[in-house]
Amino acid sequence: MKNLLRVLGGEALDVPPVWLMRQAGRYLPEYRAVRARAGSFLELCYTPELAEEATLQPIRRFGFDAAILFADILLVPHALGQELRFVEGEGPRLDPVGDVAGLGRLRPVDEIDEVLAPVYETVARLARSLPGEVALIGFAGAPWTVASYMVAGRGTPDQGPARAWMYRDGQGFGRLIDLITQATVHYLDRQIEAGAEAVMLFDSWAGSLAPEMFVRFAIDPARKIVAALEARHPGVPVIGFPRGAGAMYPEFAAATGVAAVALDSAVPLGWARDTMSPSDSSSNSGPGPGAPEGAPGVALQGNLDPMLMVTGGAALTETARRLVAAMRGAPHIFNLGHGITPDADPAYVEQLLRAVRG
Ligand code: CP3
């Protein structure tokens, strides 16, 4: 079995599998070339041959253990009928959905494939073209994070517009979350049918939710998505990434049914292991004393600071080795705490791989 899938199944490996969030992207000259050929970022996402190429580039160059589909979390709102464009140097812009009336103007979930079909085609191509030992990860944005862009119409520092709607009209906002939840189940179901072997849910802005709202709008939708996928595709693992969840991480790990959680760089890995890892991977006896009751334990992914991919040096090698040592004997997927940035140096990715793989 592929190393990534073994770890997602609860095995601890001597050398953890490695991949990096945003491993296909602007820090690679070959990505910038294919992006220029596509004309625009969205065109790249919706052109299967080019999206396949962008996905494969970091695999060819670095030999990662997993490939992540090249696409974007904002394709779901786009497929639901929201206008979407990426403004050079400024990020995404959508026409905001600010209230329940705005929900009525969106397209029904069973029509999203009219827009998303090329993404499934990319997955199918990758399932054929990837080297045999490399696992294929599909993904979607988690409902809360996607909603934060749909409501504000852009990225925001504090997700203010979505949080305001949530408190003013929790029921109406809940309808938006439910709609995205259904669309996400459908979208990930199709990715798995096309050949994705694991899927990841990116809740990049989970850290702005107060605990009770985190339960309602991060944990509950993730639990529903995991359950619906498990019913249709038993055994296909889901990786949850509630970035910034802090002290709520263990509850997320215990309550959602995910196979793994991805940790941001602020989380102490030793604490994460004590509260969320199976305490002994061979006995399946559950995580340590700090864990919520009845928690089975999950694999952990992360959590190197992406800045080290910009600065390199002894700090990179030492930190990477420390993280590997902290997780020895427990199921661990080596990754960053967030996406690699455009100013990262590909030479430091090589250095990282040497540090992790020895
Ligand atoms: O290599 C991979 O990880 C696969 C592809 C991938 C992209 N975006 C490509 C991309 C994945 C998994 C994402 C996820 C994504 N997209 C998230 C969640 C992860 C995170 O970083 O928190 C979010 C919040 C988005 C939304 C998004 N997409 C923003 C805010 C932006 C603009 C900011 C930026 O980094 O430019 C994007 C654009 C984007 N998505 C690019 C890439 C390679 C850069 C666009 C370009 O090439 O011009």
Side-chain angles (χ1 to χ4, degrees):
M1 210 205 277
K2 300 178 187 187
N3 284 341
L4 183 97
L5 301 176
R6 289 171 63 187
V7 173
L8 287 172
E11 262 186 79
L13 302 185
D14 289 339
V15 177
V18 193
W19 69 279
L20 303 183
M21 287 189 268
R22 289 280 185 101
Q23 63 192 17
R26 287 161 292 184
Y27 75 109
L28 293 178
E30 60 268 35
Y31 170 81
R32 297 194 295 269
V34 77
R35 166 84 166 68
R37 256 211 287 159
S40 74
F41 173 66
L42 276 182
E43 207 47 52
L44 177 49
C45 290
Y46 290 129
T47 308
E49 313 80 82
L50 298 182
E52 177 193 24
E53 170 60 21
T55 308
L56 291 172
Q57 285 172 343
I59 304 304
R60 275 191 214 115
R61 190 195 262 256
F62 302 115
F64 289 123
D65 293 279
I68 181 156
L69 165 70
F70 189 86
D72 198 81
I73 68 163
L74 299 178
L75 301 187
V76 166
H78 192 222
L80 285 167
Q82 247 186 325
E83 239 167 80
L84 170 66
R85 54 194 198 288
F86 283 83
V87 183
E88 206 64 54
E90 284 183 50
R93 293 288 182 277
L94 307 97
D95 52 333
V97 175
D99 50 26
V100 173
L103 293 183
R105 290 190 288 273
L106 295 174
R107 224 190 257 149
V109 168
D110 58 14
E111 290 174 20
I112 62 177
D113 288 350
E114 287 169 28
V115 174
L116 297 173
V119 178
Y120 312 140
E121 170 64 22
T122 304
V123 175
R125 295 175 74 107
L126 285 163
R128 294 189 294 265
S129 59
L130 272 173
E133 71 284 6
V134 180
L136 178 55
I137 303 173
F139 75 93
W144 159 244
T145 288
V146 172
S148 76
Y149 287 96
M150 291 179 76
V151 175
R154 58 193 297 160
T156 48
D158 62 356
Q159 296 70 59
R163 281 167 49 242
W165 183 1
M166 172 196 296
Y167 285 112
R168 284 202 185 103
D169 172 20
Q171 252 194 331
F173 183 73
R175 282 177 53 191
L176 172 60
I177 292 288
D178 286 344
L179 175 75
I180 303 167
T181 301
Q182 284 172 36
T184 303
V185 166
H186 178 92
Y187 183 47
L188 292 176
D189 172 42
R190 291 303 164 90
Q191 290 183 33
I192 294 168
E193 276 175 11
E197 298 167 290
V199 294
M200 179 152 163
L201 261 185
F202 285 88
D203 214 347
S204 303
W205 297 116
S208 65
L209 291 169
E212 62 277 20
M213 293 302 180
F214 182 86
V215 170
R216 204 162 144 197
F217 297 120
I219 290 182
D220 279 0
R223 187 174 43 73
K224 288 179 188 155
I225 292 165
V226 170
L229 293 175
E230 179 63 22
R232 295 174 204 203
H233 305 283
V236 173
V238 179
I239 305 168
F241 181 34
R243 187 170 76 95
M248 299 301 285
Y249 258 111
E251 191 171 333
F252 181 94
T256 56
V258 294
V261 293
L263 305 168
D264 59 74
S265 303
V267 175
L269 200 50
W271 171 82
R273 181 178 177 163
D274 289 345
T275 53
M276 291 182 271
S277 272
S279 59
D280 171 4
S281 61
S282 61
S283 70
N284 211 12
S285 55
E293 203 156 332
V298 295
L300 298 177
Q301 176 177 286
N303 64 340
L304 190 80
D305 187 340
M307 184 56 76
L308 288 165
M309 307 316 300
V310 178
T311 57
L316 169 57
T317 298
E318 282 161 19
T319 311
R321 289 199 179 134
R322 185 166 50 72
L323 296 182
V324 171
M327 284 301 291
R328 185 147 289 132
H332 179 213
I333 298 161
F334 200 98
N335 206 313
L336 307 178
H338 199 196
I340 192 167
T341 51
D343 54 347
D345 186 336
Y348 297 148
V349 176
E350 309 262 13
Q351 185 190 333
L352 170 68
L353 286 165
R354 284 194 301 274
V356 173
R357 290 175 171 167

